[in-house]
Amino acid sequence: MNRRWEIENRRWIKVFVFFLSIFCLPFSIIFSYAQQEDSSEYVKNAWALQGQGKLEEVYKTCDECIAKFSAEADKLAAPLNAFPPQNEETAYKVMNDVAVCYFIKGETLRDEAKYDEAIKILEEVIKKYPFAQSFDPSRGTFWSIKETSQTIIDEIKGQIKDNMWEPEKEVKVELCDEGRFPVDYTKYGEFTNVGTKDYKYVIKDQIGLAKEAGEGIYPNTSSLKFDPEFVKIKKHLGNIDHWKILNGRDYKTAFYKWNIAPEPEGVRQFFIGDILERSGDFKQAVKAYYAVLVHFPNAYGWTYWHTPWYIGKSALYRIKYILKNHPELGLKLEDASVEIINGFDNEIRNDVFLVNPGKLVKVSLWDKVCAKTDICQQKARKSGKIVQTMGDGGVKLVKYANGDWQLLVKNKPFMIKGITYAPTRVGESPDKGTQQNWTLQDVNKNGIIDAPFEAWVDANQNNIQDKGENAVGDFQLMKEMGVNCIRIYHQPFKINKQIIRQLYEKYGIYTILGDFLGKYAIGSGASWNPGTDYDNDEQKKNMLKSIKEMVLEFRDEDGILIWLIGNENVYGVACNADKKPESFFKFANEAARLIKSLDPKKRPVAIASGDTLFLDVFAKNCPDIDIYGTNCYRGKYGFLDLWDEVKRVADKPVMVTEYGAPSIAKGYSMQESEEFQAQYHKTAWLDIYCNSCGYGAGNSIGGVVFEWLDEWWKAYNPFYHDKKALFAGPFLDGYMHEEWLGVAGQGDGKHSPFLRQLKKTYFMYKDLWN
């Protein structure tokens, strides 16, 4: 009896404990979350106090955080031997916050010239938390506490070097079996269900196709085995990371490695094409890219922002780019298309591919004549009469009978030749609360606003203002470059209206004026975490209030060209537009209606979205937004199918609200890097122009270069022009160096905010835009 009671009692105890644990679990989660939130508050307060110069309070706040949370931080740090995987960083929030408090303390000691103490603290954080990271709210990326701490230590010790990378030696691919060019796929198989979701190329003679394709081109795998150079280094390839070698200049080793890389066939074939292209073997590159179209058109990868990257589409446009820029190949790609139904969201399981690989055909005599006589390699078409007008003031959009769109200013065609203008002084940073309002900044106290009117050109780049290098100002330099509008936001600083007026009246440059619409939690009243919620009525009310204040403040300014809302909100940094795109776009449309009701001049309203993410949701929910604007970084090939996709899905005029490339790259000289930046911009602009009214898709109304001036704060330390890569991207070395996006630089930073070193891109635009 007692034994039986004991067994039953144990059962009930287990049941009780189980339900107790279930009941208590939410409270433990809440407690844990509150603890993390609490540690974040310490960090937030420490940054703010540092920016306010309240140094004793900085130390006190940091010490409290370290004392309270270091035990938990140590537990999180103990098992780590690398940075936490992407999207899992928040699980290590307490560790990161404690490390940041160490860092802030060390940095503040540095600022007080307490160098020995600063080094001691920074070396401690490096030792204890080598894989801690801090979130950069402005760009949605993490930076390494260890790396930045070491930079400050080196700086204190006088060991900071201008560690410009030495250019790497270029080693080109030399194939042992080139096959034939182009490959005649009709001889070795059959194209079935072309243009449909059931497209497939059926190989009937694999041996014959492999022989004609040549080394590295699918389905040829045998040529590699007999390549003597491959045989030589085969045993060493196992120790090489195929992703790390991809963007280097040893194309030969990269080619061999990627032929045996453990990636899906479509991904592998695409990057073999990329390596061949960079090696200068354009025939083989075209063959590799076309093999992707034929065999693997539905291959995909992922961007840094975890949005789908459709490899078949990229291959298609790379072929077009190469053939256009290398007329000696004598070919063009006809009728090729890769359309992806449901391809505008982050989900790939619902994608449906409609594929036509097209044909590589010989260029006609007429094509050759057009290529020589017209910048767009096509004859401009007639537009017909105006069938639709948006806006009835001095700035309006018109649609012609042939479907083309055009922006008219004072009834004359106006192509937006814009630039983002944010002349941040070296040493200032929004992260630290030290960034100043450039529209009011007067560092030398002479009554003249600094950057717009007193910037001077360091022509010989010696970081000295020599005789004859007089103050001219950014506005004059931009006018000479051919800029006709700048893009700025009325947040977080109140804009000096007089600046906007002078920019227009004296220099003839308009302003595209924006509101972030809750991005970075600006204007919504939300905290950074979880960020703006586009279903929250109170936050929406706050954002509409911000919009109203902007329009009422600036609606009477003749220099306002377009109202702009948002800034790639769909990527979801400190807002939930990525999770609730329909709510976001419905609210954006509400904001557009409010703007139009308040602006008597009925200027167009544009959105600044992110690439074409959720384009279909935008099309359904934003009838009152006049222009589809998008921040778009697709590489040196232009904007690919952007124009056609917007025309097909939304039928709106298109403005590229951001595009650009860094002027620095690992393994390349400064000259090579600047040349790449200039070429990137030239291709981008020609793509913008060649899809404007009368050409191509006919819906481009211009673009906004990103940006005027290098900003030193973007990799954290605002006193150091950091060369480190922030994230992967379609640039010269495969990475984004966000502190180097300007068409003008600030030299060694000692004469900021005045000194300007104009890059090749500036002079390229000066020729192109004038």
Side-chain angles (χ1 to χ4, degrees):
M1 180 70 175
N2 288 340
R3 176 65 178 164
R4 183 177 174 184
W5 178 87
E6 184 181 353
I7 293 170
E8 290 296 328
N9 191 44
R10 285 179 179 174
R11 287 175 181 168
W12 280 111
I13 289 172
K14 288 180 180 179
V15 171
F16 174 75
V17 170
F18 173 76
F19 279 104
L20 183 64
S21 66
I22 294 297
F23 177 75
C24 291
L25 181 61
F27 292 96
S28 67
I29 292 173
I30 290 169
F31 177 75
S32 174
Y33 181 74
Q35 184 186 48
Q36 292 189 4
E37 279 293 289
D38 203 24
S39 65
S40 296
E41 284 300 310
Y42 280 101
V43 171
K44 180 180 176 181
N45 292 336
W47 282 129
L49 291 165
Q50 190 191 54
Q52 295 164 14
K54 298 177 180 179
L55 305 187
E56 289 304 317
E57 292 182 49
V58 170
Y59 298 133
K60 181 181 177 182
T61 302
C62 291
D63 287 341
E64 285 181 6
C65 181
I66 291 167
K68 189 172 183 179
F69 298 105
S70 60
E72 175 66 17
D74 291 349
K75 288 180 185 178
L76 290 168
L80 289 177
N81 55 16
F83 287 107
Q86 191 175 341
N87 301 322
E88 293 183 21
E89 296 93 347
T90 53
Y92 297 86
K93 201 169 193 322
V94 171
M95 178 191 75
N96 290 336
D97 289 340
V98 170
V100 171
C101 281
Y102 270 103
F103 175 81
I104 294 172
K105 185 177 179 181
E107 188 181 48
T108 306
L109 288 164
R110 186 276 313 270
D111 293 343
E112 284 201 280
K114 297 177 180 178
Y115 299 126
D116 291 340
E117 294 175 67
I119 290 172
K120 183 178 178 181
I121 288 292
L122 294 171
E123 286 180 341
E124 185 175 356
V125 75
I126 289 172
K127 182 179 178 180
K128 292 186 72 173
Y129 309 115
F131 303 112
Q133 304 171 93
S134 180
F135 189 70
D136 177 354
S138 63
R139 304 311 298 171
T141 59
F142 286 86
W143 53 270
S144 165
I145 302 293
K146 175 183 176 181
E147 184 178 334
T148 309
S149 296
Q150 189 61 55
T151 298
I152 293 176
I153 292 170
D154 293 342
E155 186 179 36
I156 292 170
K157 293 181 177 180
Q159 295 174 357
I160 282 284
K161 300 174 183 177
D162 184 15
N163 59 336
M164 181 62 67
W165 301 295
E166 288 295 322
E168 295 175 6
K169 182 181 178 182
E170 191 172 71
V171 184
K172 295 197 172 186
V173 179
E174 295 179 8
L175 300 175
C176 72
D177 175 17
E178 294 185 353
R180 294 182 61 187
F181 179 78
V183 176
D184 185 355
Y185 283 92
T186 60
K187 290 170 60 177
Y188 308 104
E190 180 183 2
F191 292 95
T192 62
N193 302 309
V194 173
T196 74
K197 63 182 180 64
D198 298 315
Y199 162 79
K200 189 176 183 182
Y201 176 71
V202 180
I203 300 175
K204 295 183 177 179
D205 180 2
Q206 184 157 333
I207 295 175
L209 179 58
K211 185 176 180 181
E212 185 156 329
E215 185 176 7
I217 312 301
Y218 186 86
N220 187 319
T221 57
S222 59
S223 294
L224 188 72
K225 298 173 185 177
F226 300 103
D227 185 332
E229 292 299 314
F230 173 74
V231 173
K232 279 183 191 177
I233 68 169
K234 181 180 178 181
K235 62 182 179 181
H236 302 295
L237 293 176
N239 298 322
I240 296 173
D241 185 307
H242 58 287
W243 288 110
K244 287 183 179 179
I245 198 173
L246 177 62
N247 295 303
R249 305 185 77 175
D250 183 354
Y251 309 125
K252 178 178 169 181
T253 303
F255 174 78
Y256 291 137
K257 179 63 182 180
W258 269 90
N259 267 275
I260 59 172
E263 300 292 341
E265 284 284 6
V267 175
R268 187 159 69 240
Q269 186 69 168
F270 180 87
F271 284 113
I272 287 172
D274 178 70
I275 294 162
L276 289 164
E277 181 186 351
R278 287 185 292 121
S279 183
D281 193 337
F282 301 113
K283 285 184 178 181
Q284 294 298 114
V286 167
K287 285 164 65 175
Y289 291 140
Y290 193 62
V292 173
L293 273 182
V294 171
H295 302 289
F296 315 108
N298 57 350
Y300 65 89
W302 297 96
T303 68
Y304 171 83
W305 300 103
H306 204 67
T307 57
W309 166 49
Y310 296 110
I311 291 173
K313 278 190 174 186
S314 293
L316 188 158
Y317 284 92
R318 288 202 176 192
I319 294 169
K320 288 187 174 183
Y321 175 88
I322 292 173
L323 296 181
K324 181 177 180 179
N325 287 277
H326 295 277
E328 71 275 8
L329 299 180
L331 295 176
K332 65 178 180 178
L333 182 61
E334 278 191 347
D335 301 325
S337 65
V338 179
E339 182 181 336
I340 303 165
I341 308 300
N342 303 321
F344 298 115
D345 57 18
N346 288 325
E347 181 59 67
I348 58 170
R349 288 175 293 183
N350 62 356
D351 291 342
V352 178
F353 290 77
L354 308 180
V355 177
N356 181 350
K359 296 179 181 179
L360 289 167
V361 299
K362 289 184 177 181
V363 173
S364 68
L365 179 61
W366 175 251
D367 291 325
K368 292 178 181 179
V369 171
C370 285
K372 290 181 179 180
T373 58
D374 194 287
I375 195 170
C376 295
Q377 297 189 8
Q378 55 185 289
K379 187 177 179 180
R381 60 176 173 268
K382 294 182 179 180
S383 301
K385 65 179 183 179
I386 295 173
V387 296
Q388 183 180 350
T389 302
M390 291 191 289
D392 56 8
V395 182
K396 54 191 174 184
L397 292 158
V398 295
K399 184 179 182 181
Y400 294 99
N402 68 350
D404 288 1
W405 287 94
Q406 194 166 52
L407 180 66
L408 301 182
V409 176
K410 298 177 182 176
N411 290 317
K412 293 182 179 180
F414 188 97
M415 194 73 177
I416 294 169
K417 301 173 183 176
I419 199 160
T420 298
Y421 188 65
T424 307
R425 185 186 180 195
V426 168
E428 295 178 3
S429 169
D431 295 333
K432 301 176 69 175
T434 56
Q435 188 175 30
Q436 300 298 305
N437 185 346
W438 66 264
T439 70
L440 296 170
Q441 194 168 55
D442 180 16
V443 172
N444 55 12
K445 308 295 183 185
N446 65 351
I448 303 173
I449 306 302
D450 296 332
F453 305 116
E454 293 200 288
W456 51 272
V457 177
D458 178 21
N460 58 7
Q461 302 197 355
N462 65 351
N463 291 293
I464 298 172
Q465 188 172 11
D466 297 314
K467 186 177 180 180
E469 293 180 343
N470 302 319
V472 290
D474 285 339
F475 288 176
Q476 179 63 32
L477 291 172
M478 288 191 290
K479 179 182 178 181
E480 292 173 7
M481 176 178 161
V483 171
N484 61 17
C485 64
I486 65 169
R487 171 197 177 211
I488 59 174
Y489 284 79
H490 81 116
Q491 307 144 314
F493 299 113
K494 184 177 175 61
I495 295 172
N496 175 6
K497 268 204 301 188
Q498 188 64 29
I499 286 285
I500 303 299
R501 195 170 301 153
Q502 288 177 286
L503 178 65
Y504 172 68
E505 292 178 352
K506 185 176 180 180
Y507 301 94
I509 297 174
Y510 286 87
T511 297
I512 297 172
L513 187 59
D515 183 287
F516 285 110
L517 206 66
K519 182 66 184 288
Y520 317 118
I522 295 175
S524 67
S527 61
W528 180 269
N529 187 9
T532 301
D533 179 1
Y534 293 101
D535 284 333
N536 184 297
D537 290 336
E538 187 64 28
Q539 291 178 23
K540 290 196 289 185
K541 182 180 176 181
N542 291 338
M543 288 183 279
L544 291 177
K545 180 175 179 288
S546 177
I547 289 278
K548 183 176 181 180
E549 289 172 352
M550 174 183 72
V551 178
L552 293 180
E553 176 76 9
F554 293 97
R555 65 184 180 181
D556 294 328
E557 294 298 320
D558 292 333
I560 300 299
L561 182 72
I562 290 169
W563 304 108
L564 185 66
I565 51 179
N567 182 48
E568 57 192 33
N569 302 53
V570 290
Y571 292 147
V573 177
C575 73
N576 64 2
D578 58 329
K579 300 176 182 65
K580 297 181 178 180
E582 189 168 19
S583 297
F584 167 68
F585 283 119
K586 282 182 177 179
F587 178 64
N589 195 66
E590 184 180 349
R593 286 203 306 270
L594 175 62
I595 291 171
K596 291 181 176 182
S597 72
L598 296 171
D599 180 17
K601 297 187 178 182
K602 306 299 179 186
R603 299 174 181 89
V605 178
I607 196 167
S609 201
D611 209 283
T612 54
L613 188 59
F614 303 120
L615 175 61
D616 51 344
V617 184
F618 164 83
K620 293 175 183 176
N621 293 285
C622 295
D624 296 290
I625 294 179
D626 306 310
I627 301 165
Y628 185 75
T630 180
N631 297 356
C632 200
Y633 295 83
R634 293 192 179 185
K636 68 177 185 179
Y637 307 92
F639 302 100
L640 314 184
D641 60 348
L642 169 67
W643 321 104
D644 294 321
E645 291 282 24
V646 177
K647 187 167 189 173
R648 177 175 64 84
V649 177
D651 193 18
K652 301 265 189 182
V654 185
M655 169 176 61
V656 183
T657 42
E658 270 189 30
Y659 69 96
S663 63
I664 194 170
K666 186 175 182 180
Y668 294 83
S669 68
M670 183 63 86
Q671 182 178 359
E672 290 173 314
S673 300
E674 281 199 26
E675 187 62 45
F676 174 84
Q677 185 195 43
Q679 188 57 47
Y680 184 111
H681 275 275
K682 184 175 182 179
T683 301
W685 176 254
L686 290 178
D687 198 22
I688 289 169
Y689 178 80
C690 293
N691 282 282
S692 63
C693 184
Y695 297 97
N699 55 359
S700 166
I701 60 170
V704 181
V705 169
F706 195 87
E707 61 181 320
W708 169 249
L709 189 66
D710 287 344
E711 296 184 274
W712 285 32
W713 60 270
K714 291 192 170 180
Y716 178 70
N717 185 347
F719 291 96
Y720 179 60
H721 204 184
D722 210 307
K723 302 172 182 67
K724 69 182 178 184
L726 294 185
F727 51 86
F731 307 111
L732 185 57
D733 64 353
Y735 292 96
M736 168 61 90
H737 302 271
E738 206 165 5
E739 292 196 359
W740 297 80
L741 287 169
V743 302
Q746 302 197 62
D748 63 8
K750 293 177 181 176
H751 291 285
S752 182
F754 304 106
L755 180 146
R756 300 289 180 262
Q757 292 181 352
L758 304 178
K759 303 179 188 177
K760 291 181 180 180
T761 303
Y762 174 89
F763 296 103
M764 183 278 298
Y765 275 117
K766 190 173 182 179
D767 290 338
L768 205 58
W769 280 356
N770 288 299

